[in-house]
């Protein structure tokens, strides 16, 4: 009797699921972008967020090494990141025109210019809004690719072809429409590189939801670096000089 009842329940669930699927309308690209903007806090809140400072921890080597981490972003496209350990600080920065870095952990304590390939990821990271917001103004090409599994959850997959040829595959949570993963394909030093970034633990800062957990690394690499944000500040005053290559 119990077995037959279980079969009836399972059959009813399948019928209900099929009916639900038929009722679900496939969203358009514009609808998904609009929902993403709304999920972040809305267009007005995004425009009002002119600068963002994040402080936290950078975990590498499967979490065995922990750096103090700071990232400062300012519109229209400036960024500076710092990772500090045992009195030494690695810096990467982009001022909207050129990128530079200080790499003391590689024995280079003087600032040096970054190549055009190396600065690509910094340019993307400088975006406070992410790749979907104002994609037309960024001269990107965007295409909706349907649903794809992301760690057991079906997510909306959107392809973003940037004007420099780099490609982002943006995965949106089907319920909240925030980014849960961004997979990036780009060419660096003549080689094809694919980086996967998982985003989560969103919190509202300055009226905008931003991820407090960021895990990134080469696709398939089990040892990804993880950033955990402990404190975020919106619209902090930032001198543009901190993004520029240091003058001697």
């Amino acid at each position: 009797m119990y077995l037959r009842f279980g079969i009836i329940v399972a059959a009813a669930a399948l019928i209900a699921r099929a009916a639900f699927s038929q009722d679900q309308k496939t969203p358009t690209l514009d609808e998904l972008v609009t929902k993403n903007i709304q999920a972040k806090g809305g267009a007005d809140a995004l425009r009002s967020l002119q600068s963002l400072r994040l402080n936290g921890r950078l975990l590498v080597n499967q979490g065995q090494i922990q750096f103090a981490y700071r990232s400062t972003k300012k519109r229209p496209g400036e960024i500076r990141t710092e990772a500090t350990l045992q009195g030494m600080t690695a810096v990467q920065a982009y001022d909207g025109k050129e990128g530079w870095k200080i790499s003391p952990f590689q024995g280079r304590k003087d600032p040096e210019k970054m190549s055009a390939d190396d600065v690509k990821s910094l340019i993307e990271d400088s975006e406070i809004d992410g790749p979907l917001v104002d994609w037309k103004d960024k001269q990107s090409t965007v295409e909706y690719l349907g649903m794809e599994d992301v760690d057991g959850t079906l997510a909306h997959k959107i392809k973003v072809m940037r004007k420099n040829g780099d490609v982002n595959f943006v995965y949106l949570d089907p319920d909240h429409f925030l980014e849960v993963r961004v997979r990036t394909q780009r060419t660096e030093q003549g080689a094809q590189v694919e980086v996967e970034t998982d985003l989560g633990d969103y919190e509202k800062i300055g009226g905008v939801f931003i991820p407090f957990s960021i895990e990134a690394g080469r696709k398939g690499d089990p040892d990804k670096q993880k950033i955990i944000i402990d404190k975020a500040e919106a619209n902090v005053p930032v001198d543009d000089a901190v993004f520029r290559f240091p003058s001697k």
Side-chain angles (χ1 to χ4, degrees), residues 49-248:
L49 186 58
Q50 292 296 305
S51 68
L52 184 64
R53 178 174 291 154
L54 307 173
N55 287 282
R57 294 158 285 156
L58 170 63
L59 309 179
V60 300
N61 194 23
Q62 297 182 339
Q64 297 182 49
I65 301 176
Q66 179 174 296
F67 294 80
Y69 175 82
R70 168 174 282 197
S71 174
T72 305
K73 302 181 183 183
K74 184 178 180 180
R75 294 190 190 275
E78 298 174 297
I79 186 172
R80 178 186 176 113
T81 64
E82 302 175 8
T84 302
L85 180 67
Q86 297 179 351
M88 294 190 295
T89 300
V91 179
Q92 289 190 337
Y94 177 70
D95 65 0
K97 295 180 181 178
E98 64 178 4
W100 57 277
K101 62 183 177 179
I102 300 175
S103 308
F105 301 104
Q106 284 76 48
R108 298 189 291 274
K109 297 185 179 181
D110 294 326
E112 52 188 334
K113 300 287 181 68
M114 296 176 69
S115 69
D117 280 350
D118 289 340
V119 83
K120 285 181 176 181
S121 60
L122 267 184
I123 294 174
E124 291 187 17
D125 289 343
S126 72
E127 296 176 344
I128 293 176
D129 304 330
L132 293 180
V133 179
D134 295 329
W135 62 269
K136 292 180 182 178
D137 294 338
K138 297 171 185 175
Q139 300 179 44
S140 298
T141 302
V142 180
E143 179 185 3
Y144 178 48
L145 300 180
M147 307 287 283
E148 186 171 305
D149 180 83
V150 176
D151 295 336
T153 299
L154 285 178
H156 295 286
K157 182 179 181 181
I158 300 174
K159 180 181 179 181
V160 181
M161 173 74 77
R162 294 179 177 266
K163 66 177 181 179
N164 66 357
D166 290 354
V167 178
N168 300 131
F169 293 97
V170 181
Y171 297 85
L172 301 181
D173 178 88
D175 298 318
H176 305 289
F177 299 97
L178 290 168
E179 291 91 340
V180 292
R181 174 172 291 171
V182 177
R183 184 159 50 86
T184 301
Q185 296 175 344
R186 65 167 60 97
T187 301
E188 294 181 0
Q189 312 300 331
Q192 183 77 9
V193 175
E194 191 165 11
V195 176
E196 203 166 70
T197 303
D198 289 336
L199 309 165
D201 296 336
Y202 280 83
E203 293 192 25
K204 201 171 192 177
I205 304 297
V208 175
F209 281 97
I210 64 169
F212 270 49
S213 173
I214 306 162
E215 190 168 1
R218 297 288 180 92
K219 185 181 179 183
D221 188 346
D223 186 17
K224 296 182 178 180
Q225 67 176 28
K226 185 171 185 178
I227 297 170
I228 300 172
I229 303 303
D230 298 314
K231 181 182 178 181
E233 301 170 273
N235 293 321
V236 291
V238 184
D239 189 339
D240 288 335
V242 303
F243 304 107
R244 300 193 194 110
F245 188 79
S247 57
K248 294 182 180 180

Side-chain angles (χ1 to χ4, degrees), residues 7-17:
I7 293 173
I8 292 171
V9 170
L14 289 172
I15 294 171
R17 187 179 302 173

